[in-house]
Amino acid sequence: MKKNLRLGFLVHGSEIPAWYAESLQTIIATGQHEIFLLRFSAEQISPPAAPLFFSLFQRFERKWFQNQFDATRSVSITEFAKCAVILDFSAESFLLSSEEFELLQALELDYVYTIAYNGHAAENVSAGAKFGLWYVQFGYVPLDSHQVPAFWEVMENAAVTRSCLLMKKKEQITVLYEGSTRTVPFSVFNNFSSIAWKTSSFVVFRTQSLATLYETFAERFAEPFTYQTPLREVPSNRKIPLLFLRNVGRYLLYKAKAKLPAGRFTLLYRRGMFQIENLEQEPFHALPLPPDVFLADPFLIEKDNINYVFYEEYSYLTGKAHISVLEIGQPGIPSRPRVVLERPYHLSYPFVFEHDGAYYMIPETVTNRSVELYKAVCFPTEWELVMTLMDNCELIDCTLHFQNGLWWLFASTANHSFVSTNDQLLLYYSSDLFSGEWTPHPLNPIATHAGNCRPAGRLFIERGKLYRPAQNNASQQYGYGIVINEIHLLDKENYREAPVRFIYPEPLGLKAIHQLAFTSDLIVIDGIK
């Protein structure tokens, strides 16, 4: 049973940025909680004036990279007047007067959320709510700085940009959500919009966790916060031109490389038994790659001494993919591929599995906003739609696992069209595969970093331990590598995993390795040569 919460959202003045408004709108749309907008009458105190060249750089970025996904666009709080109580405070900081602190306490809020607290300023707001003050922190940059978050990640060509949601209560700061997403190269403006839209989902997810795990919430999110990277100073007038020119140089190099033929994913295979530590010991054989296509997302079924390889076959001519299959028997020679499933929309990641003597498939159908279950009427070539497991959703690379009488469904997602799909892993469970009723895990998302999140094949057990392969997208190259995670705890209220093996493409003579599949005598991967 989810608890109805009383939530305070702190705003400065009459407008908030669009990414903050997104958080509010999503929580309000649940219709479950009572919302209070705590409006400080004074505008947020402005930071010191930025160096001239830095200000000019910001103006250039905003003009050059204008787009419809501007996370900093202003939204009036009057849009929320019908569904939230707006209360005015005269405070100019987070340190309330005794009268206004009593007013805050009287609201009996579960938390107060803000995007403006810097983590160290004097405050007493956190003492006025049961679960304290919730606030965000971006990467290298303190929130009281005049430099834009996501700046240094672009200028230093960092693979990922980080942010987190923190909870302050009784002078203790703990981590509620920590995540990273691939850095948008060349543009600080676009990179900030990307990480801001992503961060807008953090408070939404943890509000769901609080409503479900109310009595044990503080115990579950008790990890102390420490800065993993040093905060950075704003660049001087002397340094800004150098950073700008270096960034332009990288962009011109990128445009030049873009004219060269792009690498394409293909399938590679080798005979033998898979073990976590032995993948790089012997070479793989690449399947011939037809023109104008790429091959990816292999899944294997072993039946009657034949390995059936199901995979995505993407056509650059049609702009979508279908599911194909080929066979590799004892001689180890692949058969000619056959198309087994095609729809008007894009299909990929053909998760094929056996259940009660029948074969089923869950292909990725995110462009149809659904999770569809198919059954083989004539294995391996003929499939029919059994049912839609979930509708009106955007779940990517759905991966099933059955354990302790429950079906567990892992899938990555994105909360906004401008953000990556590689760094939020959701988990659902159901007691009946065919019920259409899937319960979201209260700790969603259970993985939040670009380097160890999106599914890279089916879960497997080796030497009594359960493992989950994940894509390593902490790189400018999509699908750069694979991380093998050992799952230590999996139940309706808990999930814990830890990486135990990193698989990199270079020892295999590849530029990327994206997915792993194996049977008792065959290993198949996909990669870019």
Side-chain angles (χ1 to χ4, degrees), residues 7 78 97 115 156 266 268 301 307 330 404 480 486 520:
L7 309 176
T78 58
S97 66
I115 63 169
E156 296 182 344
T266 190
L268 303 98
I301 291 291
N307 287 293
Q330 288 301 324
N404 296 332
Y480 168 70
E486 181 183 346
S520 63

Side-chain angles (χ1 to χ4, degrees), residues 176-452:
L176 297 181
Y177 188 123
E178 184 181 10
S180 65
T181 191
R182 287 175 66 192
T183 298
V184 179
F186 315 123
S187 169
V188 175
F189 177 76
N190 284 340
N191 192 40
F192 176 71
S193 285
S194 170
I195 191 65
W197 287 123
K198 177 70 68 175
T199 305
S200 72
S201 70
F202 293 3
V203 67
V204 176
F205 280 118
R206 286 301 162 255
T207 299
Q208 295 169 353
S209 300
L210 179 60
T212 306
L213 304 170
Y214 192 82
E215 298 301 328
T216 60
F217 182 84
E219 300 171 14
R220 292 171 181 272
F221 296 95
E223 177 189 352
F225 172 70
T226 56
Y227 286 100
Q228 296 183 352
T229 52
L231 298 179
R232 304 295 298 274
E233 296 294 329
V234 65
S236 64
N237 283 331
R238 180 180 178 183
K239 194 168 186 178
I240 275 287
L242 299 176
L243 293 171
F244 177 78
L245 291 174
R246 186 172 66 177
N247 192 45
V248 170
R250 280 199 298 262
Y251 176 74
L252 294 176
L253 180 61
Y254 161 78
K255 296 296 287 186
K257 288 183 177 179
K259 296 180 180 179
L260 301 175
R264 293 181 291 155
F265 276 94
T266 190
L267 303 186
L268 303 98
Y269 70 98
R270 79 156 189 246
R271 302 308 296 258
M273 180 180 294
F274 171 79
Q275 292 180 329
I276 288 180
E277 64 275 3
N278 75 349
L279 193 66
E280 299 94 339
Q281 291 179 1
E282 297 181 25
F284 281 78
H285 308 286
L287 291 179
L289 190 59
D292 301 319
V293 304
F294 71 70
L295 312 178
D297 296 350
F299 280 93
L300 290 176
I301 291 291
E302 186 177 14
K303 185 175 184 289
D304 300 329
N305 294 321
I306 297 175
N307 287 293
Y308 296 90
V309 185
F310 295 85
Y311 59 94
E312 169 195 356
E313 184 172 353
Y314 180 89
S315 168
Y316 290 100
L317 300 178
T318 63
K320 68 182 186 71
H322 54 256
I323 305 304
S324 294
V325 69
L326 59 82
E327 303 167 16
I328 301 179
Q330 288 301 324
I333 301 174
S335 69
R336 293 186 62 181
R338 291 175 285 177
V339 177
V340 298
L341 188 61
E342 189 164 17
R343 287 291 180 264
Y345 40 88
H346 176 80
L347 301 177
S348 61
Y349 201 83
F351 185 88
V352 184
F353 63 102
E354 184 181 5
H355 174 57
D356 285 346
Y359 290 97
Y360 295 88
M361 180 197 301
I362 302 178
E364 182 198 296
T365 52
V366 66
T367 55
N368 197 43
R369 293 182 54 80
S370 62
V371 178
E372 299 171 1
L373 178 66
Y374 292 81
K375 181 179 181 180
V377 294
C378 183
F379 184 87
T381 56
E382 296 181 23
W383 299 80
E384 65 177 9
L385 179 65
V386 176
M387 64 178 297
T388 298
L389 298 180
M390 297 189 208
D391 207 355
N392 194 31
C393 62
E394 296 184 0
L395 297 179
I396 298 167
D397 296 351
C398 292
T399 304
L400 276 182
H401 176 69
F402 185 76
Q403 179 173 302
N404 296 332
L406 291 174
W407 291 94
W408 301 92
L409 189 150
F410 298 74
S412 61
T413 191
N415 67 297
H416 191 277
S417 55
F418 193 64
V419 305
S420 169
T421 58
N422 299 325
D423 43 64
Q424 286 187 325
L425 181 68
L426 303 185
L427 178 60
Y428 299 83
Y429 61 88
S430 177
S431 59
D432 183 355
L433 175 62
F434 306 105
S435 69
E437 297 179 359
W438 294 85
T439 302
H441 198 280
L443 297 184
N444 276 340
I446 57 169
T448 58
H449 288 285
N452 187 14

Side-chain angles (χ1 to χ4, degrees), residues 473-490:
N473 284 300
S475 167
Q476 298 296 347
Q477 169 63 56
Y478 166 70
Y480 168 70
I482 294 175
V483 181
I484 305 296
N485 298 280
E486 181 183 346
I487 297 178
H488 296 286
L489 185 58
L490 172 62

